[in-house]
Amino acid sequence: AAAATAGPAAAAAATSPARPAPTLAPLPGERIIHTGFAALDAILGPGGLPTSASVAIRGDGSSGRTTLALRVAAEAQAQGSVVAWLDLSRSFDPVEAVSRGVRLEWLVVITPADLDEGLRIAGSLVAGRSVDLLVLDLPGGRLSKTDTPAKVADRLHRMAALARRAETLLLILDAPGLGGGLSTAVDQATGIRLELARRSWIRLGRDIVGQRTEALVAHDRYG
């Protein structure tokens, strides 16, 4: 686990797991995208997120979930990667994105009508090798009657397999209040799961300038 800051100020500490987990080595020669937080990179096996990985980021509101995803997007853009953001939660804030280092002129933002359309678009982008990083910001709440957990799980599994072959980093933001079926499907489709929780605010006088967030690497097939 690591305590990492999801705000402008950075203060972090990392500890090593007592027992190493089974690892899945990154593909030979594949790129690593840093998270933007050195303490978190330090406890991820390859020193960041492999481009063939599928990653779930879970956390409540104000946990730093979106901040982390934006920082990863900025790091990917700095390496020349093409980034797409599927805004299913309809919460993308361009001002916040710029403050985290994202270049909006090189970011593709798509707002699908529903989860079904979002998964179809995501599948097309990955299958066509159109992007290097795909952020899927899931909506909160339960699944619709047509989007059964089994159906969504199958589509996420196939998407993750396509992303691995295309060496596209798939980043899934697990929304607060996500239905149990969809949350389980996300867990099964991803090789890395990060769970974030805000622990305290960072203040400068009376002003809040950041927050201290605990980032738990709950699952990591890469080390």
Side-chain angles (χ1 to χ4, degrees):
T5 301
T15 58
S16 300
R19 180 180 302 171
T23 61
L24 176 66
L27 297 175
E30 79 170 305
R31 293 182 298 114
I32 300 298
I33 298 178
H34 298 299
T35 65
F37 297 98
L40 186 53
D41 286 338
I43 59 174
L44 289 167
L49 302 173
T51 52
S52 64
S54 295
V55 182
I57 302 179
R58 181 168 297 160
D60 294 331
S62 299
S63 65
R65 184 168 45 95
T66 302
T67 293
L68 178 56
L70 289 171
R71 290 290 293 272
V72 172
E75 292 282 343
Q77 287 184 328
Q79 296 180 17
S81 298
V82 178
V83 181
W85 190 292
L86 265 67
D87 186 24
L88 276 160
S89 68
R90 290 173 169 75
S91 60
F92 182 81
D93 183 349
V95 175
E96 182 184 6
V98 170
S99 72
R100 304 303 177 192
V102 174
R103 297 181 60 184
L104 293 180
E105 68 270 25
W106 294 107
L107 179 68
V108 179
V109 180
I110 304 169
T111 307
D114 51 32
L115 179 60
D116 180 68
E117 183 180 64
L119 292 177
R120 282 191 285 110
I121 292 173
S124 297
L125 290 173
V126 173
R129 298 174 183 260
S130 304
V131 296
D132 303 298
L133 167 62
L134 176 60
V135 180
L136 187 60
D137 190 0
L138 295 177
R142 296 185 176 276
L143 293 173
S144 66
K145 293 181 179 179
T146 56
D147 292 322
T148 64
K151 178 181 177 181
V152 173
D154 179 64
R155 295 177 72 174
L156 286 176
H157 270 292
R158 285 188 283 122
M159 189 188 309
L162 286 172
R164 178 170 175 78
R165 288 196 291 270
E167 292 190 38
T168 296
L169 175 57
L170 179 62
L171 197 63
I172 302 177
L173 300 188
D174 203 339
L178 199 65
L182 183 52
S183 184
T184 300
V186 171
D187 286 346
Q188 294 174 346
T190 52
I192 298 175
R193 187 172 76 252
L194 306 176
E195 298 178 355
L196 307 185
R198 188 184 72 234
R199 294 308 182 201
S200 63
W201 296 109
I202 298 174
R203 299 177 181 273
L204 184 61
R206 295 183 177 181
D207 298 326
I208 295 176
V209 297
Q211 68 184 50
R212 192 174 304 279
T213 289
E214 181 181 80
L216 172 66
V217 181
H219 177 63
D220 186 357
R221 295 179 63 198
Y222 293 83

